[in-house]
Amino acid sequence: LRAGVPVTVNSDDPAYFGGYIADNYAALEKIGFSLEQLGAIALNSIHASFISPEEMRDLEAQYASWKARYLN
């Protein structure tokens, strides 16, 4: 993250391997990732996804709302 690499967090077949996405974010928080860093990772995930431009704008707006509420 410090180097500007667009890091994302994912879950791969959570029903089989465990590690649901919320659990993965909680583990990162437990090892010292800040709420700001976790938000940046979530935003990177939005930008890396294969969704329509409309869906991306909607998710970016939801992220901006979350950021305004929790990081400002």
Side-chain angles (χ1 to χ4, degrees):
L1 286 173
R2 284 188 291 264
V5 176
V7 175
T8 63
V9 173
N10 305 283
S11 59
D12 184 25
D13 201 357
Y16 185 75
F17 293 111
Y20 289 86
I21 194 69
D23 297 333
N24 295 342
Y25 275 90
L28 291 174
E29 189 270 337
K30 192 180 253 188
I31 63 170
F33 279 71
S34 69
L35 195 56
E36 185 175 75
Q37 289 171 313
L38 296 175
I41 290 169
L43 185 60
N44 287 340
S45 297
I46 293 167
H47 292 152
S49 64
F50 296 102
I51 57 177
S52 70
E54 296 80 18
E55 290 171 302
M56 189 168 296
R57 282 192 297 274
D58 181 53
L59 289 172
E60 288 170 334
Q62 289 180 49
Y63 169 80
S65 177
W66 171 86
K67 185 177 177 184
R69 182 173 181 183
Y70 293 103
L71 297 181
N72 293 332

